[in-house]
Amino acid sequence: APHPTWRPPRVAGGRGPRPLPGSLWSRGRAGFEHPWRARGGPGAAALAADTSNDGDMPPTAAAVAVGAHLLGFSDEILLHILSHVPSTDLVLNVRRTCRKLAVLCLDKSLTHTVLLQKDYEASEDKVKQLVKEIGREIQQLNMAGCYWLSGATIEHVARCRSLVKVNLSGCHLTSLRLSKMLSALQHLRSLAIDVSPGFDAGQLSGECKATLSRVRELKQTLYTPSYGVVPCCTSLEKLLLYFEILDRTREGAILSGQLMVGQSNVPHYQNLRVFYARLAPGYINQEVVRLYLAVLSDRTPENLHAFLISVPGSFAESGATKNLLDSMARNVALDALQLPKSWLNGSSLLQHMKFNNPFYFSFSRCTLSGGHLIQRVIDGAKELRSLASLNLSGCVHCLSPDSLLRKAEDDIDSGILETLVASCRNLRHLNLSAAHHHSSEGPGRHLCQLLARLRHLRSLSLPVCSVADSAPRSDRVPKVRIGVQSCPNPFSGQAGPQPSSVFWSLLKNVPFLERLELIGSNFSSAMPRNEPAIRNSLPPCSRAQNVGDSEVAAIGQLAFLRHLTLAQLPSILTGSGLVSIGLQCQQLQSLSLANLGMMGKVVYMSALSDMLKHCKRLKDLRLEQPYFSANAQFFQALSQCSALQRLCLVSRSGTLQPEAVLAFMARCLHVVVCHMFTGESLATCKSLQQSLLRSFQAERPALNVVIFPLLHEGLTNVIRDVPMVHLDEITLFKSRVAEEPPNLWW
């Protein structure tokens, strides 16, 4: 079956000149690579051939033929191609190429929605010029994570007077600038902003509050105890709250949620349909979210259909939250649910909750047993065709009938998993990580064999031990000749019988998988949030010893794979499976590798170098490995990842070569994030960081460099300055499958 994403045919032709300096032709608006590339190529030659005769040299016959081929496409196809070009490039560069593209680039389908998120080459001048030329046409604007743009530039958004939806999360905005901007946006219905220290709702003008009163969707990231603009939004239907408040200020003062008392009026929740809150670690975030929940406990909105609270660690249930849950059980039917584990553990809440057409459930870290899952959530094997996303990460007992009698390492009850699969056959996102899900022997009873029936899966997270065969197979024992270095390359395309492992069969049956995570049950990153680095880690599960290079090579079957995470695989001997992934997974955009092979030695460096040569679309690379040597060989291989934008290296007792890092940054022109936490001295780290900023900051406005000793006591203070978009997506390790409901915001 063809993949649902259509890709236009490639055209043949010679190299051509780059249209304009600073062009972003090779980067798509939605993450796809464009058919023509930044430094010349078929598309550039074609467009150059079609321009007016103001050049010194006439176009070649081949270029004319290519131009006729490209511009001979229908407008519909050309518009689809142009939809993958960044907006700044589209309006400021491509539009000036020829008369036909000048018209198409201003088509409403391209100018109504402008995405500047992760357009790292969108400088201050480009953004201002973009707004000047098409500002009146823009109805949806996404500037999330544009931390490098000044507040004065962000203020130009006020000129986009037709805006209905705008995302300014991660942008620099004061209360006064926000007030001035929102006062001009009378059609706004959807808003995303940050609330930083110094925010004062009293500075919001009457016109601004009038705009906020019409806003129906609000996403608010809090860096200080505050209600933000929530009390002004009297028509709210969707409220997303991200609590990123640190317990202490930079000066060491302890914060308190009591600062919010009397700060503003009570939030208006009467029309609320979606309530979502995600908390970073820290008691202050829990204290503040309780103030938001207090209003809900008094009167539960009648139309509420999604209630989600994501809290790391424990979050004690209070009298107000108990009243809220009781009211929800009586008065509403939900479509999406996530609650803190302490609210669910040992309670009969799920038994009384009513669900309509649920599309998302998260029971992460709960002690929910498989029996309760089937009886109370699936309602005794009721068919849930609407369920698209299910997060059971850390639910160690969710595949066993009784949580009280089972040990974590005991085999799962395949009957429970079979019932789950049969009832939720349309699942697209499934997370079973952070638990020991061991399968017993018997035909058709293995976890991988049962999951293979979920043909609609697009993202999957599994513990490493869960994909091991039920019992070690004799054909898996490697034969090693003394004195001969072997580097097996399974599935290299040679003729022969296909592998027979259950994991290989699973991946064969879910060919459209786009995100895959294999994470050791006992894995914990050396770099947790808001805490000192972890010096010791738990040993891997014994069954994980049966998962090695051949299982990793099986991942090469996933032709549409875009995001891959491999963590705590102790039996990686050479890393040869990585080469298979690099060769066959040509759509791979993000790669996270952690603790592969033996901890005292990096055994896969050669294979990783070979893999990186083939990863032409790789944008994000995160490596966490003790004793990793970031030397010239590594950076030489990494330099061949021409699309790379973000790099994060975490290595206890690791080393780096400053000259190699500088040479790598000079070769890879799109890299804007360079985070390295190793065993090098503070002086070495500071010197390298200053050299990188001095050399590349001017030409890369979004450049973010953090070089720091991993075990240094000041690491927490350094981390707090990392832009949230990078901290959340690449610097910190976490499972991302079914982390949030699909299409939660943009």
Side-chain angles (χ1 to χ4, degrees):
H3 191 259
T5 302
W6 177 85
R7 300 182 71 84
R10 292 185 178 272
V11 295
R15 293 179 62 84
R18 191 179 186 184
L20 281 177
S23 178
L24 305 177
W25 295 64
S26 61
R27 292 177 45 232
R29 301 169 74 197
F32 298 96
E33 182 170 354
H34 198 65
W36 50 74
R37 300 184 65 84
R39 297 192 171 275
L47 294 174
D50 194 75
T51 54
S52 57
N53 296 327
D54 54 359
D56 296 332
M57 297 295 292
T60 64
V64 172
V66 172
H69 187 183
L70 177 64
L71 296 177
F73 286 143
S74 67
D75 288 355
E76 183 181 6
I77 293 178
L78 286 174
L79 286 172
H80 180 87
I81 295 174
L82 293 172
S83 69
H84 299 307
V85 179
S87 299
T88 51
D89 213 14
L90 194 71
V91 175
L92 305 182
N93 290 319
V94 181
R95 184 166 67 94
R96 294 180 169 87
T97 313
C98 70
R99 287 184 293 273
K100 182 171 184 177
L101 291 179
V103 175
L104 290 178
C105 287
L106 295 183
D107 187 85
K108 291 183 179 180
S109 65
L110 300 179
T111 59
H112 277 191
T113 299
V114 172
L115 308 178
L116 297 180
Q117 182 184 30
K118 295 185 180 178
D119 186 353
Y120 299 120
E121 296 185 35
S123 63
E124 306 257 359
D125 292 339
K126 287 183 178 180
V127 173
K128 292 177 182 177
Q129 188 66 24
L130 177 72
V131 172
K132 180 180 179 181
E133 298 204 20
I134 64 168
R136 295 181 179 180
E137 306 295 328
I138 302 175
Q139 295 184 0
Q140 299 187 70
L141 176 62
N142 189 350
M143 299 181 69
C146 291
Y147 54 88
W148 63 91
L149 298 177
S150 66
T153 299
I154 302 298
E155 196 174 315
H156 279 65
V157 171
R159 300 184 180 182
C160 306
R161 297 183 178 265
S162 299
L163 271 180
V164 176
K165 184 172 186 176
V166 63
N167 189 342
L168 299 173
S169 298
C171 297
H172 299 292
L173 273 179
T174 62
S175 307
L176 289 175
R177 279 206 166 100
L178 179 66
S179 177
K180 181 179 178 181
M181 185 175 61
L182 295 185
S183 297
L185 305 179
Q186 300 181 7
H187 302 287
L188 195 66
R189 297 296 181 269
S190 180
L191 173 67
I193 59 169
D194 291 351
V195 177
S196 301
F199 179 87
D200 183 3
Q203 295 180 336
L204 302 180
S205 67
E207 293 83 357
C208 172
K209 292 180 179 178
T211 296
L212 289 171
S213 69
R214 295 185 289 268
V215 168
R216 297 174 183 173
E217 300 178 351
L218 175 66
K219 177 183 177 183
Q220 192 169 256
T221 304
L222 295 160
Y223 294 95
T224 187
S226 173
Y227 285 117
V229 299
V230 171
C232 302
C233 302
T234 57
S235 303
L236 274 183
E237 296 179 7
K238 177 188 287 189
L239 176 60
L240 277 58
L241 299 169
Y242 293 77
F243 296 87
E244 298 289 344
I245 311 168
L246 295 174
D247 293 342
R248 293 176 180 269
T249 65
R250 292 182 182 276
E251 295 75 24
I254 299 177
L255 291 177
S256 171
Q258 295 304 315
L259 296 174
M260 295 174 60
V261 175
Q263 187 183 95
S264 56
N265 296 325
V266 174
H268 300 270
Y269 292 150
Q270 61 268 24
N271 299 319
L272 207 61
R273 295 174 56 82
V274 177
F275 181 89
Y276 175 88
R278 193 186 80 178
L279 282 66
Y283 78 91
I284 184 65
N285 291 309
Q286 297 186 11
E287 189 176 346
V288 173
V289 77
R290 289 187 190 278
L291 296 175
Y292 279 86
L293 292 173
V295 179
L296 277 177
S297 64
D298 292 336
R299 180 183 176 186
T300 306
E302 297 178 357
N303 296 322
L304 190 69
H305 74 96
F307 186 79
L308 308 115
I309 301 180
S310 174
V311 182
S314 60
F315 184 34
E317 187 178 15
S318 65
T321 56
K322 188 177 186 304
N323 292 337
L324 168 62
L325 297 176
D326 290 342
S327 175
M328 288 171 53
R330 291 192 307 268
N331 302 318
V332 300
L334 296 175
D335 294 333
L337 177 67
Q338 179 178 7
L339 296 175
K341 63 179 183 180
S342 56
W343 296 11
L344 284 175
N345 292 346
S347 75
S348 58
L349 176 65
L350 288 178
Q351 189 173 354
H352 303 292
M353 281 286 185
K354 296 185 289 291
F355 301 108
N356 188 17
N357 292 304
F359 61 88
Y360 178 81
F361 284 138
S362 177
F363 303 110
S364 179
R365 306 289 174 180
C366 295
T367 57
L368 185 70
S369 70
H372 289 166
L373 180 66
I374 299 301
Q375 296 169 14
R376 299 178 181 177
V377 180
I378 303 180
D379 194 15
K382 175 184 177 182
E383 190 163 336
L384 292 180
R385 296 195 174 205
S386 60
L387 193 64
S389 187
L390 178 62
N391 190 339
L392 296 173
S393 64
C395 294
V396 296
H397 306 296
C398 67
L399 299 182
S400 64
D402 195 332
S403 61
L404 298 177
L405 304 177
R406 180 183 183 268
K407 296 181 180 179
E409 294 79 9
D410 289 346
D411 291 344
I412 64 172
D413 186 329
S414 59
I416 291 176
L417 180 58
E418 190 169 11
T419 301
L420 178 66
V421 169
S423 301
C424 310
R425 59 180 69 250
N426 292 327
L427 268 180
R428 296 174 65 87
H429 314 282
L430 176 62
N431 194 328
L432 293 172
S433 64
H436 297 270
H437 295 315
H438 300 164
S439 300
S440 57
E441 296 186 43
R445 297 171 59 85
H446 196 282
L447 177 141
C448 289
Q449 294 172 318
L450 295 172
L451 294 184
R453 303 176 188 176
L454 298 174
R455 301 301 178 90
H456 298 283
L457 278 179
R458 292 297 182 268
S459 65
L460 177 63
S461 183
L462 295 174
V464 175
C465 56
S466 72
V467 305
D469 286 335
S470 300
R473 307 196 315 266
S474 59
D475 63 328
R476 292 186 49 81
V477 180
K479 298 179 180 180
V480 180
R481 292 175 58 190
I482 297 177
V484 178
Q485 184 178 4
S486 61
C487 183
N489 187 15
F491 315 154
S492 59
Q494 299 176 356
Q498 297 287 5
S500 57
S501 73
V502 289
F503 183 56
W504 188 93
S505 300
L506 166 62
L507 299 186
K508 180 183 178 182
N509 284 280
V510 287
F512 297 137
L513 207 64
E514 296 178 359
R515 183 185 291 272
L516 176 64
E517 297 176 348
L518 279 184
I519 304 174
S521 305
N522 295 330
F523 176 75
S524 58
S525 174
M527 222 171 108
R529 183 74 185 275
N530 298 341
E531 298 173 13
I534 296 177
R535 297 173 183 266
N536 299 308
S537 57
L538 295 173
C541 173
S542 58
R543 288 212 188 185
Q545 303 288 346
N546 297 327
V547 180
D549 292 316
S550 59
E551 279 75 18
V552 172
I555 299 172
Q557 300 175 84
L558 302 176
F560 301 106
L561 188 69
R562 298 188 180 199
H563 312 279
L564 175 63
T565 297
L566 300 174
Q568 201 179 40
L569 279 76
S571 290
I572 296 296
L573 300 178
T574 63
S576 58
L578 296 175
V579 183
S580 299
I581 295 173
L583 284 169
Q584 300 176 61
C585 300
Q586 289 294 301
Q587 302 296 324
L588 193 65
Q589 295 182 4
S590 68
L591 175 65
S592 177
L593 304 176
N595 293 9
L596 304 187
M598 298 179 294
M599 287 297 93
K601 183 180 180 182
V602 182
V603 298
Y604 59 91
M605 177 66 86
S606 177
L608 177 62
S609 298
D610 289 340
M611 174 195 190
L612 293 175
K613 297 175 183 177
H614 308 289
C615 296
K616 301 304 181 183
R617 288 181 172 86
L618 189 67
K619 294 182 178 181
D620 296 340
L621 175 62
R622 187 185 191 278
L623 282 175
E624 181 169 341
Q625 188 78 33
Y627 303 99
F628 189 89
S629 176
N631 54 23
Q633 175 194 354
F634 167 70
F635 283 110
Q636 182 65 38
L638 190 58
S639 298
Q640 299 185 57
C641 300
S642 54
L644 192 70
Q645 295 178 339
R646 301 191 292 188
L647 169 66
C648 179
L649 175 62
V650 180
S651 180
R652 179 169 49 86
S653 303
T655 60
L656 55 83
Q657 294 181 0
E659 299 80 7
V661 178
L662 287 165
F664 155 73
M665 290 291 288
R667 287 191 296 265
C668 290
L669 304 180
H670 298 295
V671 174
V672 294
V673 173
C674 183
H675 293 175
M676 296 185 183
F677 308 96
T678 64
E680 295 287 356
S681 67
L682 181 61
T684 299
C685 293
K686 282 188 173 181
S687 175
L688 177 58
Q689 178 171 317
Q690 292 171 359
S691 297
L692 290 170
L693 291 173
R694 186 169 52 249
S695 301
F696 305 106
Q697 182 81 70
E699 61 190 42
R700 306 181 198 184
L703 184 65
N704 184 254
V705 178
V706 182
I707 316 290
F708 205 77
L710 178 62
L711 300 181
H712 194 278
E713 60 184 6
L715 178 64
T716 303
N717 290 330
V718 171
I719 290 299
R720 69 187 298 168
D721 292 327
V722 175
M724 184 55 60
V725 61
H726 303 318
L727 185 67
D728 189 58
E729 294 180 2
I730 189 168
T731 310
L732 300 177
F733 181 96
K734 64 177 177 179
S735 175
R736 305 177 193 281
V737 173
E739 179 186 16
E740 294 179 341
N743 306 317
L744 182 62
W745 184 249
W746 196 271

